[in-house]
Amino acid sequence: MRKSILLFFVLFSVGVFSQNEEYSIFVRDIETLLPIENAAVVIMKTKQILLSNEEGKVTFMLTGGSNVQVSQTDYEDATVRWTSLNGDQKFVIYLKSKNNKLDEVVLSREDPEKILQKLVSNSTKKISISHRQKVYVREFFMLNNQYSYYNDGLVNFQFDKNNNATTLLVEQNRSYGLLETDISADLRGYDLNNIMKNYSDFKYFDPLLDSKTKKGYDFVIRGHAKNKDYYVMYVTPLDKAKEAVDNFEIVYDPVKKLIMGFTIDITPQNLDKIEEKTTVNSKNITKSSVKVDYRFDGQDYYLLNSNEEIAYNLMLKDEVKKIQVRNSFVTTSFNRQNFTYSESDVFKEKSLFNKKNKILTNYWDISGFTATDEEKAIVNSLEFKL
């Protein structure tokens, strides 16, 4: 009996001391001491990927210790040993700026259009491997300039290289209306499988690769203002072009021939080129922007995070509804191993919009979610519904 009791206390003590603890890391510029946003923080023990918010902060759960890797396009990469962090549950990692301060035009014998074609081809080949990717996804909906609906979730994409297809499984999710009136008929979330495939296939660049539509754009390549290892390709619509309206900014590694990120948006003057539609149920775009970052860790190349926003006026018989949707992806885990699942677990809808809530943990607290003050207030207001 005495031995049994002793064994119980030993096992209990091991269980207590092996429990997860919450840690926070703040990433800052070593010279200015200002927070660094969108820094990728990798917890080496668990391979969890986190993205710092506007405060430079990430939060995670961990048993024991782990070395930490931190990277951001404008800064030198850093690997920090856990022992040097003094075991504190809140600590700061400082990054040194690459401080290139050059953006001269890059002279090349090869046409920028040809360079982009090779970049897309090589990046697509590199990213198209069988793997699984855990992603935190969130969406904000606005109706007539009011936040009206919110959803987020922790989802898993499984990529099958042989079939060039993705399988989507939802771990956890929540979806809430923010207005008393039912406006669900006016809202349509992003197609999650489709948007992820667009990131993997680089479909956003199709207009720049098409022999007809690319003629409406001007291509210029410059050195990256803060990173000597990267170039930036600026693609802007020509004034005479009627259909070309998007501005492209593509950051790439000229040696590895990989696209590291891109931004696409429409300026107000280019919006004026689009003829306004007046028929019922037609949509007139008022804003469109896409920002995507990729990560290359020496072996794997994959989407790190994305932000998309679309706003349009929906033309109805007696009124015009202003609708705005913002979608964000943050990759939290990447693995070349497939996971097993039953067919009933597969999420076959396009969006999390109508999926029944499934909340097991406060998954959003460690998601790398970057929110504005207004968005934080909205998310915090949902706590009473949990």
Side-chain angles (χ1 to χ4, degrees):
M1 176 66 72
R2 187 174 300 174
K3 290 182 179 179
S4 298
I5 294 174
L6 179 61
L7 178 61
F8 169 80
F9 278 109
V10 169
L11 293 175
F12 177 79
S13 299
V14 170
V16 169
F17 288 109
S18 65
Q19 288 179 353
N20 278 351
E21 292 190 69
E22 182 177 291
Y23 293 91
S24 294
I25 293 176
F26 294 85
V27 186
R28 297 187 180 277
D29 186 301
I30 196 169
E31 295 180 358
T32 66
L33 303 183
L34 294 174
I36 300 174
E37 187 176 0
N38 290 334
V41 180
V42 181
I43 312 304
M44 299 302 294
K45 182 177 182 178
T46 62
K47 300 300 181 183
Q48 183 181 8
I49 306 163
L50 304 161
L51 204 65
S52 62
N53 62 16
E54 69 273 20
E55 298 173 341
K57 180 182 179 181
V58 298
T59 304
F60 58 98
M61 303 297 291
L62 184 67
T63 301
S66 170
N67 292 347
V68 176
Q69 285 186 345
V70 187
S71 60
Q72 209 269 4
T73 300
D74 299 338
Y75 292 84
E76 301 286 350
D77 295 350
T79 299
V80 182
R81 298 179 66 86
W82 189 258
T83 52
S84 67
L85 300 173
N86 299 321
D88 197 352
Q89 288 179 281
K90 292 183 180 180
F91 44 84
V92 181
I93 293 178
Y94 296 96
L95 298 185
K96 182 180 179 181
S97 174
K98 291 184 176 177
N99 211 21
N100 191 36
K101 295 183 179 178
L102 293 176
D103 62 349
E104 74 277 6
V105 174
V106 176
L107 300 179
S108 173
R109 294 181 180 179
E110 194 170 20
D111 290 338
E113 297 95 320
K114 293 289 185 182
I115 293 175
L116 179 60
Q117 193 173 35
K118 290 181 179 180
L119 286 170
V120 170
S121 176
N122 190 60
S123 298
T124 303
K125 182 179 179 181
K126 188 71 175 178
I127 208 170
S128 299
I129 63 170
S130 296
H131 66 275
R132 56 187 168 99
Q133 193 167 340
K134 184 177 291 188
V135 174
Y136 172 73
V137 57
R138 65 178 172 95
E139 286 183 314
F140 286 97
F141 302 82
M142 295 183 73
L143 177 65
N144 295 330
N145 300 320
Q146 279 188 293
Y147 282 99
S148 55
Y149 211 89
Y150 173 82
N151 72 51
D152 65 18
L154 197 59
V155 304
N156 291 280
F157 292 91
Q158 181 155 295
F159 291 76
D160 184 348
K161 177 183 177 181
N162 297 325
N163 297 321
N164 191 27
T166 61
T167 301
L168 177 61
L169 294 93
V170 179
E171 270 189 28
Q172 302 184 60
N173 71 287
R174 56 180 181 168
S175 183
Y176 295 112
L178 304 173
L179 299 178
E180 293 182 3
T181 55
D182 182 15
I183 47 122
S184 58
D186 297 317
L187 300 178
R188 297 291 183 272
Y190 281 86
D191 184 328
L192 298 182
N193 269 316
N194 184 61
I195 194 173
M196 179 59 90
K197 197 170 190 311
N198 287 342
Y199 296 148
S200 301
D201 294 344
F202 298 89
K203 297 293 290 183
Y204 295 89
F205 301 135
D206 282 357
L208 307 182
L209 301 175
D210 185 271
S211 59
K212 293 181 180 179
T213 55
K214 73 178 183 180
K215 295 178 181 178
Y217 291 93
D218 179 50
F219 293 74
V220 175
I221 298 176
R222 295 181 179 273
H224 194 287
K226 294 185 177 179
N227 190 329
K228 61 181 176 58
D229 297 323
Y230 291 165
Y231 290 165
V232 183
M233 183 180 294
Y234 298 92
V235 188
T236 54
L238 297 172
D239 291 337
K240 63 181 181 180
K242 294 183 179 180
E243 297 183 1
V245 294
D246 289 317
N247 294 285
F248 294 78
E249 185 177 312
I250 306 164
V251 178
Y252 67 96
D253 187 320
V255 177
K256 297 183 177 67
K257 292 181 172 55
L258 290 176
I259 295 170
M260 303 309 299
F262 64 86
T263 302
I264 307 173
D265 58 24
I266 304 179
T267 60
Q269 56 266 35
N270 287 334
L271 274 174
D272 292 339
K273 294 181 181 180
I274 303 175
E275 185 177 350
E276 189 170 345
K277 302 172 185 177
T278 58
T279 56
V280 175
N281 293 326
S282 60
K283 299 175 182 178
N284 291 309
I285 302 295
T286 58
K287 184 177 183 179
S288 176
S289 65
V290 181
K291 188 179 188 311
V292 181
D293 293 307
Y294 296 88
R295 174 176 167 80
F296 179 67
D297 64 5
Q299 181 180 10
D300 299 318
Y301 173 66
Y302 52 89
L303 170 80
L304 178 60
N305 69 292
S306 68
N307 289 280
E308 294 208 23
E309 183 173 357
I310 183 76
Y312 57 88
N313 291 335
L314 179 63
M315 311 303 291
L316 300 178
K317 185 177 181 180
D318 300 319
E319 64 175 321
V320 176
K321 286 191 175 181
K322 297 180 179 180
I323 294 176
Q324 185 175 345
V325 185
R326 276 181 288 162
N327 173 284
S328 298
F329 278 14
V330 178
T331 294
T332 65
S333 178
F334 179 93
N335 198 311
R336 287 177 179 248
Q337 295 180 346
N338 291 336
F339 46 69
T340 57
Y341 59 89
S342 61
E343 192 62 27
S344 60
D345 293 330
V346 177
F347 183 65
K348 299 184 178 180
E349 298 292 331
K350 293 182 178 181
S351 168
L352 295 175
F353 186 76
N354 292 319
K355 180 169 173 52
K356 183 179 179 181
N357 289 358
K358 180 182 179 182
I359 302 172
L360 305 175
T361 64
N362 289 3
Y363 59 89
W364 50 89
D365 286 341
I366 54 172
S367 64
F369 168 45
T370 302
T372 64
D373 290 339
E374 189 174 17
E375 290 170 346
K376 282 181 179 179
I378 292 170
V379 177
N380 292 337
S381 71
L382 300 176
E383 294 294 331
F384 76 96
K385 294 185 177 183
L386 302 182

